[in-house]
Amino acid sequence: PPPGASRPPAAGARGTPPAARPAGEPARKDPLIGRVVGRCRIESLIGQGRTARVYRASHEALGTTVAIKILLPRAAANPELVGKFADEARAIAKIDNENVLKIYDVGTEGDLHYLVMELLEGEEVLDILEREGRLDVMDAMRVTRQAANGLRAAHAQDIVHRDVKPQNLVLLEDGTVKVVDFGLAGVAQVAGGRIGTPHFMAPETCESGETTPKSDVYSLGVTLVHMLTGKPPYAGKDVKAILQSHVRGEPLRPEARRPGLPREVGELVRSLTRKDPVARPSADQVVEAIDGFGGEA
């Protein structure tokens, strides 16, 4: 599917564009615009999430445009979050994979805690789904394969994403898919302190909060269903009902909502979303399976 041109570049962190100000209200200049942080001259605000703002910046040493994520004051005041922010950034920086967002630097300057990463010129898969309804089967398989390739590189470094979903997959203009947001700026917690997004959480996460590489594989399987059918399988229910559906629901059959779906694709979905994590394939095996019936191209 063609990338859209209506949204700002994705930057690896979830955030929304700054809200429009009421008519007649003067613009308030962001004090970080024009400032140099971590050798990056900040140019403009891309978006803001729960715990951080993401800016477009020019890296004065590298001579390239980057994204810089800076923790909000309330997040920076939490030592545990600051430590997690830095530790996970350093871990992810070790991942050398074309399907994972690149981290260039992490540090502290005064009271600012920042993360420098590549600037992604592309579009979230979620935005494409909202515009197109669903993806072509071949495109859905391309996205799934690339996401699995990024996850297997992360899992090789003992890093679990914990929140795989269409919103955290970015499609670049050249067709490359990047897995973003490895919990660097905090993750959502739902009932019982479980981590993730309810529509995409693995059964073991729903029950006990446990997350492993196989939990990421389950979330990728649900993401594939969303791409094929236009919505996640347990959409429209309250959080408790969604969690129970992941734990006790019947095996997923995207063929019921998309007649004519190739048999191999339906079987792949059910393989990725088995209730028992031990029975699910690894991310590496997902790549091999897709190559086996579709070819790497």
Side-chain angles (χ1 to χ4, degrees), residues 216-238:
D216 282 347
V217 170
Y218 180 94
S219 299
L220 182 60
V222 177
T223 296
L224 176 55
V225 173
H226 191 172
M227 290 190 290
L228 292 170
T229 67
K231 61 181 181 180
Y234 308 123
K237 302 178 180 180
D238 60 42

Side-chain angles (χ1 to χ4, degrees), residues 83-250:
K84 182 173 180 291
F85 180 79
D87 290 345
E88 292 199 16
R90 293 188 184 101
I92 295 166
K94 298 176 183 177
I95 302 174
D96 183 17
N97 184 276
E98 66 273 19
N99 297 123
V100 175
L101 177 77
K102 289 183 173 59
I103 304 296
Y104 298 135
D105 193 17
V106 61
T108 301
E109 194 167 298
D111 59 353
L112 299 177
H113 300 274
Y114 65 87
L115 169 66
V116 182
M117 52 196 171
E118 67 176 315
L119 181 70
L120 303 182
E121 303 284 357
E123 186 176 25
E124 296 168 5
V125 169
L126 178 63
D127 292 327
I128 300 170
L129 290 169
E130 289 176 345
R131 185 180 65 247
E132 305 290 340
R134 63 186 188 184
L135 298 190
D136 175 84
V137 175
M138 187 67 74
D139 288 331
M141 299 311 295
R142 289 187 181 113
V143 171
T144 302
R145 184 195 187 280
Q146 292 190 65
N149 185 51
L151 290 172
R152 70 175 174 179
H155 296 165
Q157 296 286 342
D158 295 322
I159 296 171
V160 179
H161 189 287
R162 301 195 300 264
D163 199 20
V164 177
K165 56 185 178 182
Q167 190 177 3
N168 285 337
L169 303 178
V170 176
L171 178 64
L172 306 188
E173 293 178 353
D174 66 358
T176 300
V177 173
K178 293 278 188 176
V179 182
V180 304
D181 268 10
F182 283 79
L184 293 180
V187 292
Q189 291 193 344
V190 296
R194 297 166 182 83
I195 294 174
T197 301
H199 289 110
F200 300 91
M201 284 167 56
E204 62 274 15
T205 309
C206 296
E207 288 193 298
S208 66
E210 177 187 9
T211 55
T212 71
K214 294 294 186 72
S215 307
D216 282 347
V217 170
Y218 180 94
S219 299
L220 182 60
V222 177
T223 296
L224 176 55
V225 173
H226 191 172
M227 290 190 290
L228 292 170
T229 67
K231 61 181 181 180
Y234 308 123
K237 302 178 180 180
D238 60 42
V239 171
K240 183 177 180 180
I242 292 170
L243 300 183
Q244 289 300 314
S245 294
H246 285 298
V247 175
R248 298 187 173 88
E250 295 295 322

